[in-house]
Amino acid sequence: MKTERVLPDVSEADVVLIGAGIMSATLGMMLKLLQPDLRITVLERLDEAAAESSDAWNNAGTGHAAFCELNYTPEKADGSIETAKAISISESFEISRQFWSYLIQENQVNLSNSFIKSIPHMSFVWGDDNVNYLRKRHAALTACHLFEGMEYSEDVEVLKSWMPLVMEGRDLLEKVAATRMELGTDVNFGALTRCMLEQLGKMEGVNLYFGYDVRKLRQRPDNRWSVRIRHRETHTKHKVRGSFVFIGAGGGSLPLLLKSGIPEGNGFGGFPVSGQWLKCINPAVIEQHHAKVYGKASVGSPPMSVPHLDTRFINGKRELLFGPYAGFTTKFLKNGSFFDLPLSLKVNNLHPMLAAGIKNIPLTQYLIDQVRQSPDERVEALRHYYPEARSEDWELEVAGQRVQVIKKDPKHGGVLEFGTEIVSGANGSLAALLGASPGASTAVSIMINLLHRCFPVKMQSAAWQQKMKQMIPSYGESLADDPVLLRKVRSWTSEVLGLQNIVDSKV
Ligand SMILES: Cc1cc2nc3c(=O)[nH]c(=O)nc-3n(C[C@H](O)[C@H](O)[C@H](O)COP(=O)(O)OP(=O)(O)OC[C@H]3O[C@@H](n4cnc5c(N)ncnc54)[C@H](O)[C@@H]3O)c2cc1C
């Protein structure tokens, strides 16, 4: 999607969305459905939507529902498994599924259900300790109906049928085990984002501008925000005034939050982590794998660099990716500048950044080691998951950029976080989204949270409550507490999105 629209020197809006990724698209769509008369301006520095982290090739496309991601279920000191985070992420993904189904069913987007596909989610481990962990994890998760249907096996023949590429040629001196969840999905978040923005662009009162870089934000005496913009090619300067600003600029959010001057942003810093994939170019190999197989992160590595061998569906084509290999760069965006990190250092975040840096030297070392990996070492890492991999079948692709949140901490001075953080201030007139995990899969829940924070009165109104319930039938109720409701919404979303539904097949 491209728009050639020219931004006036000065313009007015109710809502200004900075960045054309999945977060702004989701928020814009929700706001416009909640209040159709809102004037919304979307500002994007690149020439098209979803060209950073939200693009299909820049992320793993996993519909994160905590079926296969072992980092969401850590082992506690007493040996039991922590499931709270997994349950919350799983529920959030069901909320996203409902919103997407609503958009399709109500013809709110010109989107076919092919942006999301069923693909089994599996976790695969080797070694006694890891096998014990996976067995306990399976028992702990299947106690909750969100994980109903998850299978567990240590039987080599069963595992061969689930994941032939992973098992062929494997040295079976160590025990192996896997779980399998048929309900897993692969999502093309880029296609979804572009469809939502295309639809938004057609709506009365919505303007999308591409090629415009937001440079500064200033709150005016009348409490409205003045957003200062420069066109990236012509260097013309523009202003958009808005009552509410969302900084949904992905890796670019932190510098803009710091520029906004809201006290709530003080002390925040960012630590960029880049990523790379090995992409399979041999169709015969691609055809043999039908799963997303997640392993355990190696010691010292950040949680998002858990290796996985992933079937993908991108632009109607089946693909196979392995990774991500993490790396270090000072850029905050894939299309960013090497000055991003140094320029983000401010008096108020220097101490938290240094404190977090000192505490995370093993992580920095890990990232440097990853950057220095040779092509042969990368294929060697792949062979842990696909023992018979041949280097000539794979090529290296650059993934999206993540900026992990560093924030003040009374005890340690500063801490590095791997989640997502909404920072809001100025009486809810400005909010920024920092961090990138679990990411796009939970965009709808993140935006509902933001709406509660920034539009508390309207969110309590009968009109908005009713609309929320229409868009997300489980809104206000807990899917983790209500198995009947979960079955009902899962059946509905599976049907609209054309997905596998275990509940139906069991009845
Ligand atoms: C390697 C990797 C793997 C991932 N895997 C998954 C996964 O499997 N499942 C999942 O759910 N999530 C995954 N994620 C996370 C997910 O991709 C992100 O959470 C999500 O795409 C973030 O969306 P966003 O809209 O915040 O940011 P983005 O998609 O990055 O969009 C931000 C936009 O803002 C624009 N922008 C930046 N600065 C400015 C400025 N100053 N002025 C105007 N515009 C600006 C950018 O150009 C960009 O278009 C992954 C991320 C990475 C990097």
Side-chain angles (χ1 to χ4, degrees):
M1 182 188 61
K2 279 196 174 196
T3 328
E4 303 298 338
R5 200 172 275 178
V6 178
L7 183 62
D9 291 349
V10 181
S11 58
E12 303 282 336
D14 299 312
V15 170
V16 181
L17 303 175
I18 304 174
I22 189 146
M23 298 299 169
S24 288
T26 305
L27 181 61
M29 205 71 199
M30 290 183 107
L31 277 170
K32 201 64 188 162
L33 292 170
L34 286 163
Q35 193 173 319
D37 63 354
L38 274 183
R39 295 170 304 161
I40 298 181
T41 294
V42 183
L43 301 164
E44 167 57 51
R45 67 191 285 273
L46 299 178
D47 290 338
E48 55 192 324
E52 283 283 344
S53 291
S54 299
D55 182 69
W57 286 110
N58 287 341
N59 61 67
T62 303
H64 285 306
F67 296 154
C68 57
E69 307 84 346
L70 301 180
N71 55 312
Y72 299 158
T73 45
E75 191 165 355
K76 295 196 259 188
D78 65 1
S80 63
I81 305 294
E82 174 63 66
T83 56
K85 185 173 182 183
I87 289 174
S88 152
I89 290 171
S90 206
E91 184 159 23
S92 292
F93 188 61
E94 295 295 334
I95 289 171
S96 291
R97 283 175 51 143
Q98 291 175 65
F99 183 61
W100 302 336
S101 300
Y102 172 81
L103 293 181
I104 291 179
Q105 201 169 47
E106 298 296 309
N107 293 321
Q108 293 293 348
V109 287
N110 184 14
L111 182 65
S112 80
N113 57 19
S114 62
F115 80 96
I116 183 167
K117 292 259 188 216
S118 286
I119 190 84
H121 280 192
M122 303 187 196
S123 309
F124 174 69
V125 296
W126 58 87
D128 285 348
D129 288 351
N130 290 337
V131 169
N132 287 340
Y133 160 78
L134 194 67
R135 196 185 306 114
K136 283 192 286 182
R137 177 186 186 267
H138 174 256
L141 284 183
T142 47
C144 172
H145 49 271
L146 280 158
F147 303 94
E148 183 187 349
M150 184 184 279
E151 298 166 84
Y152 172 83
S153 184
E154 293 172 23
D155 183 329
V156 169
E157 292 309 314
V158 172
L159 300 196
K160 274 186 188 163
S161 70
W162 286 356
M163 44 179 116
L165 286 189
V166 176
M167 295 303 290
E168 268 163 33
R170 181 166 293 278
D171 179 353
L172 287 168
L173 292 174
E174 283 188 294
K175 252 183 160 181
V176 287
T179 54
R180 180 179 194 272
M181 187 68 173
E182 193 115 353
L183 278 190
T185 51
D186 179 71
V187 187
N188 184 335
F189 293 110
L192 174 66
T193 304
R194 285 185 272 271
C195 269
M196 285 197 282
L197 286 169
E198 199 171 290
Q199 187 64 20
L200 265 176
K202 289 181 195 155
M203 292 178 178
E204 184 71 33
V206 180
N207 290 301
L208 273 60
Y209 299 101
F210 291 90
Y212 290 94
D213 199 2
V214 173
R215 314 281 291 186
K216 283 186 188 152
L217 296 125
R218 190 176 63 80
Q219 194 167 25
R220 293 155 39 94
D222 63 1
N223 287 336
R224 283 167 67 73
W225 286 90
S226 174
V227 180
R228 316 278 172 100
I229 303 135
R230 196 171 74 178
H231 192 273
R232 288 184 76 209
E233 274 171 22
T234 59
H235 301 296
T236 51
K237 290 184 180 170
H238 311 260
K239 279 182 200 167
V240 179
R241 293 184 191 131
S243 316
F244 172 74
V245 175
F246 171 58
I247 307 177
S253 290
L254 174 71
L256 291 174
L257 170 67
L258 298 175
K259 282 180 185 167
S260 77
I262 61 167
E264 292 81 356
N266 284 348
F268 278 98
F271 184 83
V273 178
S274 58
Q276 289 174 326
W277 316 109
L278 280 181
K279 175 185 165 191
C280 187
I281 48 170
N282 182 342
V285 175
I286 297 171
E287 277 307 310
Q288 290 175 58
H289 190 69
H290 186 70
K292 282 179 180 271
V293 179
Y294 274 59
K296 260 199 131 179
S298 43
V299 177
S301 65
M304 71 282 191
S305 56
V306 174
H308 41 101
L309 187 63
D310 258 35
T311 297
R312 304 285 313 273
F313 300 98
I314 300 176
N315 303 332
K317 206 168 156 245
R318 196 179 163 121
E319 306 279 0
L320 183 60
L321 292 185
F322 178 75
Y325 299 90
F328 180 72
T329 156
T330 53
K331 286 184 183 183
F332 279 176
L333 292 161
K334 192 169 171 178
N335 298 288
S337 148
F338 288 110
F339 294 111
D340 287 343
L341 178 62
L343 289 176
S344 76
L345 294 174
K346 307 281 172 217
V347 175
N348 65 50
N349 67 12
L350 201 56
H351 179 59
M353 297 267 284
L354 288 174
I358 290 165
K359 259 199 92 206
N360 287 284
I361 285 171
L363 169 65
T364 315
Q365 186 57 50
Y366 168 85
L367 295 176
I368 291 167
D369 289 348
Q370 287 265 302
V371 174
R372 287 165 52 190
Q373 267 187 336
S374 66
D376 284 347
E377 285 169 326
R378 284 196 196 97
V379 174
E380 233 5 85
L382 165 64
R383 289 199 183 115
H384 288 298
Y385 289 85
Y386 172 23
E388 296 187 338
R390 300 180 319 161
S391 44
E392 59 268 34
D393 290 339
W394 300 80
E395 60 186 29
L396 198 64
E397 289 279 335
V398 179
Q401 191 72 3
R402 297 193 227 222
V403 179
Q404 305 305 142
V405 180
I406 292 177
K407 61 185 206 183
K408 277 192 281 197
D409 180 76
K411 202 165 153 207
H412 304 288
V415 286
L416 179 65
E417 305 251 309
F418 292 100
T420 310
E421 179 107 18
I422 299 172
V423 183
S424 60
N427 294 323
S429 63
L430 181 134
L433 186 73
L434 304 180
S437 185
S441 305
T442 55
V444 178
S445 299
I446 295 171
M447 289 308 136
I448 294 175
N449 188 354
L450 184 146
L451 289 172
H452 278 291
R453 277 212 212 174
C454 298
F455 299 85
V457 177
K458 286 195 164 164
M459 276 299 267
Q460 290 308 317
S461 68
W464 280 37
Q465 283 284 314
Q466 200 187 350
K467 192 74 196 177
M468 287 302 298
K469 201 75 192 151
Q470 255 177 30
M471 299 191 295
I472 298 145
S474 75
Y475 176 71
E477 290 165 86
S478 164
L479 291 171
D481 291 345
D482 191 338
V484 178
L485 181 62
L486 175 70
R487 274 163 195 257
K488 201 171 145 196
V489 296
R490 246 185 203 171
S491 290
W492 168 57
T493 58
S494 295
E495 197 187 326
V496 178
L497 299 173
L499 300 175
Q500 187 78 30
N501 184 10
I502 283 178
V503 175
D504 278 352
S505 63
K506 285 199 162 178
V507 172

